[in-house]
Amino acid sequence: RAQTDLIRLEKQGAEAYLPEQTLNLRESTQLAREYIQRNRFEEAGKTLRSARAVLDATAAALVELRAHAKSTSEAKYSQLENGVDSLALLLQHMPRQSYLDQNRYDLYSLKLISMRQQVQAIREDIEQKDYPLALQKGQALERHLRKSLVAVMESSSPPVVVVSSSGAASTR
């Protein structure tokens, strides 16, 4: 029964959420099996009782962790979707008069397409209930999105003209 419960937990993704506990449970059930093969039933019973307690605690923790991961990944998805929409809006106002400006615009337009695809992939991971993967992808995408937003905002802002005390003007 402990082996069956362990297999059920593994199918529910326990290893992604609780890798250490899952490994300990595998080791405990293997140890109990070895005790049984050596006719050391008392030790096998102690090992299995201990494993059952850990199995029950792990099953309860897994339910909580999956629920938290679900809500966190859905929030991250929503945040990324809004961020990508913001990037699209900023791109609309990005200058394109010079060759350099147009190249920069094209670069970030391609990045935007890629980011939209990545956001869709995160949505699919959530739908498939692979919340740890969705969060991992979301964190990586968030870093790239932030860099792109900063770069586009900097290139979209007009130059600042500074007049020195001697009356000379320079741009930044």
Side-chain angles (χ1 to χ4, degrees):
R1 189 173 138 218
Q3 184 66 41
T4 302
D5 288 348
L6 175 59
I7 290 169
R8 185 178 308 119
L9 280 176
E10 288 174 335
K11 286 181 180 177
Q12 293 173 354
E15 196 161 5
Y17 296 96
L18 301 162
E20 191 174 309
Q21 289 88 334
T22 305
L23 177 63
N24 290 340
L25 286 167
R26 266 193 232 117
E27 291 172 353
S28 293
T29 54
Q30 180 61 34
L31 181 61
R33 197 175 297 119
E34 290 172 9
Y35 283 145
I36 291 170
Q37 289 173 349
R38 295 182 192 148
N39 293 325
R40 295 169 63 184
F41 300 113
E42 189 174 319
E43 290 157 322
K46 286 179 185 177
T47 302
L48 286 172
R49 280 190 292 280
S50 173
R52 288 289 330 148
V54 173
L55 272 166
D56 293 341
T58 302
L62 181 60
V63 169
E64 289 179 27
L65 288 171
R66 284 180 59 101
H68 177 63
K70 178 183 180 189
S71 64
T72 304
S73 61
E74 287 174 344
K76 179 66 70 184
Y77 167 78
S78 180
Q79 175 188 11
L80 290 169
E81 199 172 42
N82 290 336
V84 168
D85 289 344
S86 296
L87 180 60
L89 283 173
L90 286 171
L91 275 174
Q92 290 175 359
H93 302 291
M94 196 171 179
R96 290 177 250 174
Q97 291 81 15
S98 72
Y99 177 76
L100 182 62
D101 289 341
Q102 184 62 48
N103 279 346
R104 192 176 297 126
Y105 173 81
D106 291 343
L107 173 74
Y108 286 104
S109 292
L110 290 174
K111 285 185 177 191
L112 177 65
I113 291 168
S114 173
M115 287 180 193
R116 287 194 191 280
Q117 292 169 345
Q118 291 175 52
V119 168
Q120 182 57 38
I122 291 168
R123 178 82 237 150
E124 291 168 8
D125 292 335
I126 292 170
E127 289 170 358
Q128 294 173 4
K129 298 181 173 137
D130 194 347
Y131 307 120
L133 181 60
L135 285 169
Q136 182 182 11
K137 287 180 180 178
Q139 290 168 345
L141 178 56
E142 183 177 29
R143 285 189 298 275
H144 295 297
L145 179 60
R146 284 180 192 226
K147 288 178 184 177
S148 294
L149 283 167
V150 168
V152 169
M153 284 191 294
E154 286 176 353
S155 65
S156 296
S157 61
V160 176
V161 177
V162 178
V163 178
S164 67
S165 59
S166 65
S170 65
T171 59
R172 288 189 195 169

